[in-house]
């Protein structure tokens, strides 16, 4: 287990769900594993928060879901990004990157990246 | 079936309230699949089945929190409130519902046609005093939440009721100084004695109380209005 694990902030989960589905449809458990996998288990997701987040994203029209019949076992609910979801992902990604740039600038004492200290 | 997983799902089934049965069934089915997949993975990595279930449930989170989040996710479509998840706010709303029902029934005996010396029905002022007090306390209760919020709500109901009764008695005495008002009141009492029913004018009072109820509920819980960001 990654010793530097930290809890995933609640407000970040919708963005990560959208980003995970950018590559293709997944079911809920697959989304959870993808988030943990990409973060190399550094982000600790309370998995119970995943399904309410999926409901909210569906209600907002960013995801669509359908139950897929499996060759064996019960049907599974699979989520796909909609066109609105892709647009929303781009928007939130840009906001996040801008936010990360601002924080980085502050942490570097006001120096922008690639800027030489005075 | 006493496995931890089955117990969890049973508790989730019980705690998921105020949502359609079909929707509830779908959520339970999804959660079941998720947990079973996690357990299967853990068992494949060498963890004993019961321990795997306990580990999977620890990873998933408490059943109460999961149920509340799902209910909020459902009700978010219709209400910008999370009243269903905040007991104090629910108590406030319940208190106001009691007020709107009880007040007209108990105090309508005073509601007769006379406008008294001041030209207004002074008993409406006592209603306003009570409801304003309750509204103000309800606002505080909504912000406090938890046990303090519930205590504040109950105080608001009892305290406001007491203040309103005292106000009502004072105003009633003022009103009875008007001979016409006294005569009408005595006629109302006589009607009751003859078994002809209580003279009630609940219409205006119900509208008045309903308006205060919704206005108070709105302002008291407005600070809790947030989208269910999860």
């Amino acid at each position: 287990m990654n010793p530097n694990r930290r809890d995933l902030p609640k407000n970040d989960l919708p963005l990560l769900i959208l980003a995970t589905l950018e590559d293709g449809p997944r079911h809920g458990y697959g989304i959870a594993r993808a988030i943990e996998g990409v973060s190399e288990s550094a982000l600790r997701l309370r998995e119970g928060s995943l399904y309410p987040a999926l409901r909210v994203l569906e209600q907002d029209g960013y995801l669509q879901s359908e139950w897929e019949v499996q060759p064996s076992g019960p049907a599974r609910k699979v989520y796909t990004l909609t066109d609105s979801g892709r647009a929303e992902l781009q928007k939130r990604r840009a906001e996040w990157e801008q936010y990360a740039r601002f924080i980085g600038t502050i942490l570097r004492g006001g120096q922008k990246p690639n800027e030489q200290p005075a | 079936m006493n496995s931890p997983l089955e117990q969890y799902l049973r508790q989730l089934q019980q705690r998921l309230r105020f949502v359609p049965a079909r929707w509830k069934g779908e959520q339970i089915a999804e959660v079941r699949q998720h947990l079973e997949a996690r357990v299967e993975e853990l068992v494949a990595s060498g963890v004993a089945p019961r321990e795997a279930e306990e580990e999977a449930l620890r990873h998933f989170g408490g059943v109460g929190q999961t149920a509340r989040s799902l209910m909020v996710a459902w009700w978010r479509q219709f209400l910008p409130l999370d009243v269903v998840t905040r007991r104090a706010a629910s108590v406030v709303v319940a208190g106001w519902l009691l007020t709107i029902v009880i007040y007209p029934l108990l105090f309508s005996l005073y509601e007769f046609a006379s406008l008294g010396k001041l030209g207004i029905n002074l008993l409406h002022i006592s209603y306003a005093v009570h409801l304003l007090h309750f509204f103000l306390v309800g606002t505080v209760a909504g912000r406090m939440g938890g046990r303090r919020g519930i205590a504040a709500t109950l105080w608001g109901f009892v305290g406001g009721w007491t203040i309103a009764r005292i106000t009502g008695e004072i105003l009633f005495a003022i009103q009875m100084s008007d001979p016409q008002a006294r005569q009408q009141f005595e006629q109302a009492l006589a009607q009751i004695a003859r078994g002809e029913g209580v003279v009630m004018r609940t219409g205006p009072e119900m509208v008045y109380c309903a308006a205060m109820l919704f206005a108070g509920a709105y302002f008291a819980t407005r600070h809790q209005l947030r989208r269910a960001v999860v």
Side-chain angles (χ1 to χ4, degrees):
Chain A
M1 185 179 294
N2 189 324
N4 298 317
R5 287 191 90 185
R6 53 188 299 176
D7 289 333
L8 176 66
K10 182 171 142 174
N11 292 351
D12 293 342
L13 183 55
L15 172 58
L16 294 183
I17 292 173
L18 294 174
T20 304
L21 292 171
E22 196 179 23
D23 295 333
R26 291 179 197 266
H27 50 70
Y29 185 65
I31 295 171
R33 298 298 280 130
I35 290 172
E36 279 191 5
V38 168
S39 74
E40 296 174 354
S41 299
L43 291 177
R44 182 166 45 214
L45 167 68
R46 187 185 73 80
E47 292 176 1
S49 63
L50 181 65
Y51 294 96
L54 288 168
R55 295 295 81 79
V56 169
L57 290 169
E58 261 189 292
Q59 285 166 18
D60 289 345
Y62 301 141
L63 302 183
Q64 63 189 32
S65 66
E66 57 179 357
W67 289 91
E68 277 188 358
V69 176
Q70 304 295 307
S72 60
R76 289 192 120 156
K77 197 169 191 182
V78 175
Y79 297 89
T80 314
L81 213 52
T82 61
D83 291 339
S84 304
R86 287 184 196 281
E88 181 67 13
L89 172 59
Q90 297 310 318
K91 173 172 161 273
R92 291 196 193 195
R93 183 179 274 151
E95 285 169 359
W96 177 261
E97 286 170 352
Q98 186 182 56
Y99 173 72
R101 271 199 306 276
F102 289 151
I103 296 295
T105 301
I106 292 168
L107 292 176
R108 281 187 294 274
Q111 289 172 13
K112 296 198 174 115
N114 303 321
E115 191 178 83
Q116 292 298 321
Chain B
M1 297 226 194
N2 286 329
S3 74
L5 194 149
E6 292 300 331
Q7 281 178 24
Y8 186 94
L9 292 172
R10 213 166 27 243
Q11 285 173 18
L12 185 60
Q13 171 89 16
Q14 287 164 1
R15 291 189 189 209
L16 257 183
R17 292 188 284 262
F18 314 117
V19 295
R22 184 176 171 179
W23 190 86
K24 183 198 284 199
E26 288 185 1
Q27 308 318 303
I28 305 280
E30 260 197 293
V31 168
R32 175 185 286 280
Q33 285 175 3
H34 183 111
L35 291 169
E36 286 177 349
R38 174 67 79 179
V39 168
E40 201 176 299
E41 233 180 63
L42 289 168
V43 167
S45 69
V47 179
R50 193 171 180 96
E51 283 170 19
E53 287 191 5
E54 288 166 358
E55 169 66 23
L57 292 174
R58 265 196 301 277
H59 217 66
F60 199 78
V63 65
Q65 195 173 359
T66 301
R68 274 195 299 278
S69 299
L70 283 169
M71 283 193 289
V72 169
W74 168 259
W75 280 100
R76 178 186 168 276
Q77 300 174 83
F78 312 107
L79 298 172
L81 307 170
D82 62 348
V83 170
V84 293
T85 65
R86 294 296 298 261
R87 276 182 295 175
S90 303
V91 171
V92 168
V93 174
W96 275 318
L97 285 172
L98 282 174
T99 301
I100 196 177
V101 170
I102 291 175
Y103 242 87
L105 289 175
L106 290 187
F107 287 92
S108 59
L109 183 59
Y110 294 153
E111 293 304 310
F112 39 87
S114 168
L115 298 179
K117 279 189 174 177
L118 299 180
I120 55 171
N121 190 326
L122 299 177
L123 271 300
H124 282 144
I125 295 178
S126 98
Y127 285 170
V129 168
H130 170 78
L131 289 168
L132 183 64
H133 183 255
F134 193 68
F135 153 66
L136 289 172
V137 174
T139 307
V140 172
R143 285 204 184 100
M144 282 179 185
R147 286 196 188 120
R148 283 197 306 160
I150 293 171
T153 302
L154 290 173
W155 159 245
F157 190 69
V158 171
W161 185 291
T162 305
I163 292 171
R165 276 306 301 266
I166 294 171
T167 313
E169 293 298 329
I170 293 170
L171 296 175
F172 183 67
I174 293 173
Q175 212 156 3
M176 287 296 103
S177 64
D178 179 8
Q180 189 184 358
R182 179 187 285 282
Q183 186 184 15
Q184 288 183 333
F185 182 65
E186 285 170 358
Q187 283 172 356
L189 286 179
Q191 268 184 298
I192 295 166
R194 289 194 298 269
E196 290 175 4
V198 176
V199 176
M200 295 179 74
R201 283 176 51 194
T202 55
E205 287 72 35
M206 292 292 283
V207 171
Y208 180 82
C209 290
M212 287 297 289
L213 170 74
F214 287 115
Y218 174 74
F219 286 112
T221 55
R222 191 171 71 165
H223 64 277
Q224 293 181 31
L225 286 178
R226 60 176 180 267
R227 302 191 67 78
V229 178
V230 292

